[in-house]
Amino acid sequence: ILGHTAPYPEEIPKLLISFLDKEAIVIDPYLGSGTTCIVMEKEGIKSIGFEMNEEYFKLACDRIIEATNDQITLFDLMKYHKV
């Protein structure tokens, strides 16, 4: 993934799926490029990601919006862009 120094494939967070209840909320304290949150969204599992690096955060937001076909509102993500 261009823009991130340590991307990993979607198969890694997919390993968690069988251990999770559909009502679970996955917390990713190192959001990076957003792979974990993208996979959880595709599987119908809620997730929360934290990222201190503003560029990685913007990358993750863009990727999440693209992966979810804009189902996440711009307001949901933009309110965090200002932090």
Side-chain angles (χ1 to χ4, degrees):
I1 296 166
L2 296 176
H4 193 274
T5 59
Y8 53 85
E10 289 188 6
E11 287 74 17
I12 292 176
K14 283 182 181 179
L15 294 171
L16 298 172
I17 302 295
S18 65
F19 298 102
L20 298 173
D21 182 285
K22 285 290 185 180
E23 300 301 315
I25 299 174
V26 172
I27 297 175
D28 184 354
Y30 304 100
L31 181 63
S33 61
T35 303
T36 297
C37 290
I38 290 168
V39 170
M40 295 306 135
E41 178 67 26
K42 288 178 180 178
E43 296 294 328
I45 297 170
K46 294 178 181 176
S47 64
I48 300 169
F50 299 91
E51 180 56 59
M52 292 179 64
N53 181 298
E54 187 174 343
E55 292 305 312
Y56 289 165
F57 182 75
K58 288 177 182 178
L59 171 65
C61 288
D62 291 343
R63 291 189 66 233
I64 291 167
I65 289 169
E66 181 180 326
T68 59
N69 295 315
D70 299 321
Q71 293 175 18
I72 294 177
T73 67
L74 184 59
F75 175 76
D76 291 338
L77 293 174
M78 288 306 295
K79 64 184 175 184
Y80 299 107
H81 268 289
K82 296 178 183 178
V83 172

